Amino acid sequence: MNASYNEMAGRLMVALDYPDAERAKGLVRQLEGIPCYMKVGMQLFYAAGPDFVKELKAKGYSVFLDVKMHDIPNTVKGGSDSVTRLGVDMFNVHASGGALMMQAAKAGAEAAVADTPDLAMPTIIAVTQLTSTGQDVMNNEIGIPGLVEDAVVRYAKLAQQAGLHGVVASSLEVEAIRSACGQAFKTVIPGIRPAGADIGDQARVLTPGEAIRKGSHYLVVGRPITESPSPRQAAEQIIEEMIQA
Ligand code: C5P
């Protein structure tokens, strides 16, 4: 395995969207040896909790806790303190919670790190617009006027000003975010579909190769791996496509 394999595998975040630890462990076993990031979302975290996260960390995985916090600043600060103490490498909050809430998320993580020897500061990212939200839903249901891309860039700048390290966005907005916030500002990109794969409920999708070429830092992939008859092969194909790009 060469450096570009390890680098690209480390930029693939596998979404462990399962209802219980047993099924999630089944997938982790099938992917054993692939140095990918593991994403634990609310379905699995609400069911399997901190123990499952600690197990992934004990196996050496980087863990993205995708719990999308959105509450008053004091509550988010406490949540952030708690998840940082689990040793997660990344977690996220909604940018629509505002600057004070995002600053509180950072302060909570800093407090946990200051209080715990050997604990590294996690990467904290903001959700801009869910990739399942299209133009019509954003304008007419949520009530945000204008283009999705403009709303996403506005949220990204707000997150950066609040001191967060990056955003979750769709690959269609990566270039605009990079030019507004710079290359070091992390982009975490769900809605990735290999050519010919089922889009499901995602509205804004790109292939792994296209997402890398646009400069995305991390690619979040769920169903194209979890629902594949051969998850390991699906993951390896995605990493190969990332390397080629
Ligand atoms: O199965 P699929 O590849 O669509 O999974 C995408 C994953 O990324 C899911 O776990 C979903 O919760 C997450 N996600 C997303 N859109 C965001 C943030 C996270 O789809 N804006």
Side-chain angles (χ1 to χ4, degrees), residues 149-150 152-153 156-157 172-182:
E149 181 175 305
D150 294 340
V152 167
V153 169
K157 285 187 188 159
L172 304 181
E173 292 112 28
V174 173
E175 288 153 311
I177 293 166
R178 281 169 66 104
S179 58
C181 301

Side-chain angles (χ1 to χ4, degrees), residues 165-207:
H165 309 112
V167 284
V168 189
S170 105
S171 50
L172 304 181
E173 292 112 28
V174 173
E175 288 153 311
I177 293 166
R178 281 169 66 104
S179 58
C181 301
Q183 309 223 349
F185 193 65
K186 301 277 185 269
T187 49
V188 177
I189 309 299
I192 301 295
R193 291 293 180 270
D198 188 1
I199 286 180
D201 58 354
Q202 297 285 15
R204 313 199 303 286
V205 299
L206 276 188
T207 67

Side-chain angles (χ1 to χ4, degrees), residues 6 26 37 51 61 87 92 116 119 132 149 156-158 180 206-207 235:
N6 285 335
Y37 228 104
D51 288 346
Y61 286 107
N92 56 1
T116 318
L119 194 62
S132 54
E149 181 175 305
K157 285 187 188 159
L158 188 68
L206 276 188
T207 67

Side-chain angles (χ1 to χ4, degrees), residues 15 17 39 66 68 130-131 168 190 193 202 220-224:
D17 290 330
K39 185 176 90 70
D66 181 17
K68 299 184 178 68
L130 296 175
T131 43
V168 189
R193 291 293 180 270
Q202 297 285 15
V220 178
V221 184
R223 288 162 289 183

Side-chain angles (χ1 to χ4, degrees), residues 48 59 70 116-117 142 161 237:
K59 287 187 197 297
H70 191 174
T116 318
I142 304 174
Q161 282 156 15
Q237 269 170 11

